Structures are given as structure tokens and as C-alpha cells.
Amino acid sequence: MKRWLVVWTALLLLFGCETKEHKKDVIYVVATTGQIADLVERVGGEHVHVEALMGPGVDPHLYKATQGDIQKLSQADVIFYNGLHLEGKLGEIFSKMSKTKKVVPISEAIPKEKLIDVDGVYDPHIWFDLDLWSYAVRTVKDELSAIDPKHKQTYEERGEEYISELMKLKEEAKREISSIPKQQRVLITAHDAFHYFGRAYDIEVVGLQGLSTDAEYGLKDIQELVDLIVSRNIQAVFVESSVSKKAIEAVVEGAKQRGHHVSIGGELFSDALGRKGTEEGTFIGMYRYNVKTITQALKGE
């Protein structure tokens, strides 16, 4: 019995040491959203271990940190978050943690003149403009290189390769969206998450709520949106994976009462990626899915 105890103890010690040693060679990253986590994984590859605080269907505007989140954040080598108030009250936590560890808002390097200003507040949904998202890629690349200079060349190469993929995706999206007749390019969603997307591809974007889902909306807002849909004979509106469908369903019902049929053209991924292991569970897959869903619905296919 004693012999077996000695063997098991030795194996556990060996396993523990290997795990600890392995962790020393890997940067432990905590990212707030799936978009950011996917970006870090693409740039860091095998040299990073990334955890996202917010999974599929989670609304970052309303998110509240759990005790488990605080533990992850405190153990992280570096924290990447979006900034521009996307993460709501988490910003206060990041401000405090930045005094003792590396906390990086990936939007910080984007020139302010390239951001969309809505009533004095910058739109935080920067990932829908792939040129702006490229700034975020470079920020992550530079931060990982500073933490782990031994693998700087790897981060540089992977970062530039990813940016190249994003530029190809942008051209692909332009071709798809341009196939929608100009008068039909009206994208109506639950909240204002798609303004950068609209600017990039010449689509008029209308959201029932403001930049944050924390914004209030009422019967008047629904009625005004119904008026727009009926007057312009809009055929499709969209729900979002991270936002309740009730508001958009109320708009559809309001149009119906006015004798106008408007369908739900599909579910878009706005503030969160899809499930892990699916196409929509990656940033590029999510983006491509959104473009396809919007194009088909607005063309009436």
C-alpha cells in the first residue's frame, strides 16, 4: 500500500510540475467578449490561453461580473476589453485592476475621427468596421509582443496574416451587399449595433434602442419604427442573438395591424459570437453569416 502511495504521489507531483511549467510558457489572457477572445487566439496561437468572460447570447452592455470572473481577471497575465463603455460597469473594475496589472482597451489606438459619435458618445461596436478592427489586431499583436518578446515575430506574422484575411472579408462583404437594390438597403434591428457596418457598406441602419441595450424605449419608439416600415414598404427586420426578441416582435405586430406584412429576416450576431464549434463561433464566420443573412432577407430571397 505504501509503495502505491509513493508512486501516485510521484505521478501527481510530476503532473503538477509539468502543468505549472507549461503555464509559464503560455500567456494567460482574459477577454471580455467572444470577438476579442477570437482575435487574441488568432494572433497568439499556441502561445496564449484565452478565456472569454461573455459567451454566446450574452449582452455586454448589461453584463455583471461574477465572483468567478473576478478570480479569472486577477489571475490573468493581460486583460483585453473593448472599451468605449461597451462593457458597462465592468469599466470600473478594469480601472482599479489597471493599477496592478496589464489591462488593455483594444479600441484605444483607433483615431477618434474614425469613430462614430452619437450625441457625444462614441459607438463601441467597432468590430463591424473591419478597418477599425485591424487597429485592434495591431494593438493585441503589440501587447503580446511586449509581454513575450521571444515570440514577437510569430505575433507579427499571425497578426498581419489575420488583417489580410479581414481585408479579403471586407471585399467579399462589399460584393454581397452591393447586390441589394439601393432602395432596399435598410437594416432594422433591436439596438444600434450596426452603424459601423452601415457606414462601411452603404446601408441605412435603424435601431429601436440606442447604442446600449440599457437605453429605454417605449410605445412611441415602436410606433415611429412602424411608421417608417409602412411608409417605405420595408419587407424584413432582424432580431439579435444577445437581445430579447420582444421589441422587434412588437414592431412586426404593429405593422401587421396597419395592414403591412414585415417578416423577421433572421437572427443576427451583434454583441456576441455564436456557439463554440460552429461557423458563427468565430469572428470571420459570424461576420460572413451576418452578411449572407442580411443580403438574402433584404433581397427577398
Side-chain angles (χ1 to χ4, degrees), residues 271-291:
D271 291 343
L273 299 185
R275 287 182 294 105
K276 203 82 172 174
T278 66
E279 181 188 2
E280 300 83 37
T282 67
F283 177 78
I284 286 179
M286 172 278 291
Y287 204 95
R288 189 172 280 132
Y289 168 88
N290 277 354
V291 169

Side-chain angles (χ1 to χ4, degrees), residues 228-260:
L228 174 70
I229 289 168
V230 173
S231 65
R232 297 182 59 176
N233 194 30
I234 292 168
Q235 301 299 307
V237 295
F238 299 86
V239 294
E240 301 171 45
S241 68
S242 55
V243 182
S244 171
K245 299 175 175 62
K246 289 182 180 179
I248 289 298
E249 288 172 345
V251 170
V252 170
E253 182 59 31
K256 183 180 178 182
Q257 291 175 5
R258 296 272 297 275
H260 178 76

Side-chain angles (χ1 to χ4, degrees), residues 159-170:
E160 291 308 316
E161 180 184 334
Y162 189 40
I163 289 172
S164 178
E165 285 186 48
L166 294 178
M167 293 305 97
K168 288 177 183 175
L169 178 62
K170 183 177 78 169

Side-chain angles (χ1 to χ4, degrees), residues 102-244:
K102 195 70 173 173
V103 181
V104 182
I106 63 166
S107 59
E108 195 170 48
I110 300 172
K112 293 297 184 284
E113 63 270 18
K114 293 182 180 292
L115 296 173
I116 293 175
D117 185 317
V118 180
D119 298 327
V121 177
Y122 289 122
D123 187 335
H125 305 90
I126 55 174
W127 55 91
F128 282 126
D129 183 328
L130 297 177
D131 288 323
L132 299 190
W133 201 234
S134 296
Y135 280 95
V137 176
R138 293 190 178 95
T139 294
V140 169
K141 169 176 65 73
D142 292 344
E143 293 295 342
L144 293 181
S145 297
I147 295 169
D148 179 24
K150 183 170 64 173
H151 297 111
K152 180 178 180 179
Q153 185 176 346
T154 300
Y155 301 137
E156 291 281 349
E157 291 172 354
R158 291 179 67 93
E160 291 308 316
E161 180 184 334
Y162 189 40
I163 289 172
S164 178
E165 285 186 48
L166 294 178
M167 293 305 97
K168 288 177 183 175
L169 178 62
K170 183 177 78 169
E171 293 308 311
E172 178 187 321
K174 277 184 178 179
R175 287 194 299 271
E176 288 281 324
I177 299 298
S178 66
S179 70
I180 305 170
K182 178 69 175 175
Q183 68 274 16
Q184 293 171 225
R185 286 186 216 164
V186 184
L187 177 60
I188 296 176
T189 57
H191 85 297
D192 283 337
F194 290 89
H195 281 303
Y196 288 110
F197 188 88
R199 183 178 71 177
Y201 305 112
D202 193 22
I203 300 178
E204 183 180 351
V205 173
V206 182
L208 181 59
Q209 291 172 270
L211 294 179
S212 171
T213 52
D214 198 25
E216 296 291 334
Y217 71 92
L219 187 60
K220 182 183 177 184
D221 300 300
I222 292 174
Q223 192 57 55
E224 286 177 352
L225 195 50
V226 168
D227 290 343
L228 174 70
I229 289 168
V230 173
S231 65
R232 297 182 59 176
N233 194 30
I234 292 168
Q235 301 299 307
V237 295
F238 299 86
V239 294
E240 301 171 45
S241 68
S242 55
V243 182
S244 171

